[in-house]
Amino acid sequence: MPIFLSKAIDAYFVDFKAQYTLSTATAYRIYLHRLINFIGDQRVDQITHADLSRFILWLCTEYHPTLLNSTDHSPLSTYNLDYQWKCLRSFFRWIEQS
């Protein structure tokens, strides 16, 4: 039975909710939904390395977060890009092991 990205994200957080602080879980959920917004809610088994590479490139070059009550539209910081990468790595390792 095919699993779509949104359902996989929900299952990921059920499995790992005890391991993450509330702030980490919130950030990871935002990061993973950013992926859905970029590639769509497609089947997990159809997501390719090229999809993820395009997503990371987009984050590095084109994505500019919109912060509440801020006029700053700077690109993501190196720290935030690294955190996004760690989230993706953790999520897709979990998928491989599930």
Side-chain angles (χ1 to χ4, degrees):
M1 181 171 154
I3 304 288
F4 285 83
L5 189 53
S6 60
K7 295 297 181 189
I9 290 169
D10 290 343
Y12 173 74
F13 283 103
V14 167
D15 280 357
F16 285 99
K17 69 180 175 184
Q19 293 182 12
Y20 293 132
T21 64
L22 180 58
S23 62
T24 299
T26 300
Y28 274 31
R29 194 171 286 278
I30 289 168
Y31 296 158
L32 292 170
H33 282 279
R34 194 176 287 154
L35 176 64
I36 290 174
N37 290 336
F38 183 79
I39 66 172
D41 191 16
Q42 60 181 280
R43 289 175 34 177
V44 171
D45 62 343
Q46 294 181 336
I47 298 171
T48 66
H49 184 268
D51 291 330
L52 297 177
S53 293
R54 279 193 348 264
F55 176 63
I56 294 296
L57 180 64
W58 174 76
L59 288 174
C60 292
T61 60
E62 297 179 43
Y63 177 74
H64 298 277
T66 303
L67 305 174
L68 293 176
N69 301 320
S70 176
T71 58
D72 180 13
H73 299 289
S74 301
L76 288 177
S77 68
T78 302
Y79 171 81
N80 282 323
L81 287 168
D82 184 55
Y83 211 62
Q84 176 83 51
W85 172 248
K86 288 176 184 176
C87 170
L88 291 172
R89 186 177 59 204
S90 173
F91 176 69
F92 283 100
R93 280 186 183 158
W94 174 81
I95 287 175
E96 284 181 355
Q97 296 170 357
S98 296

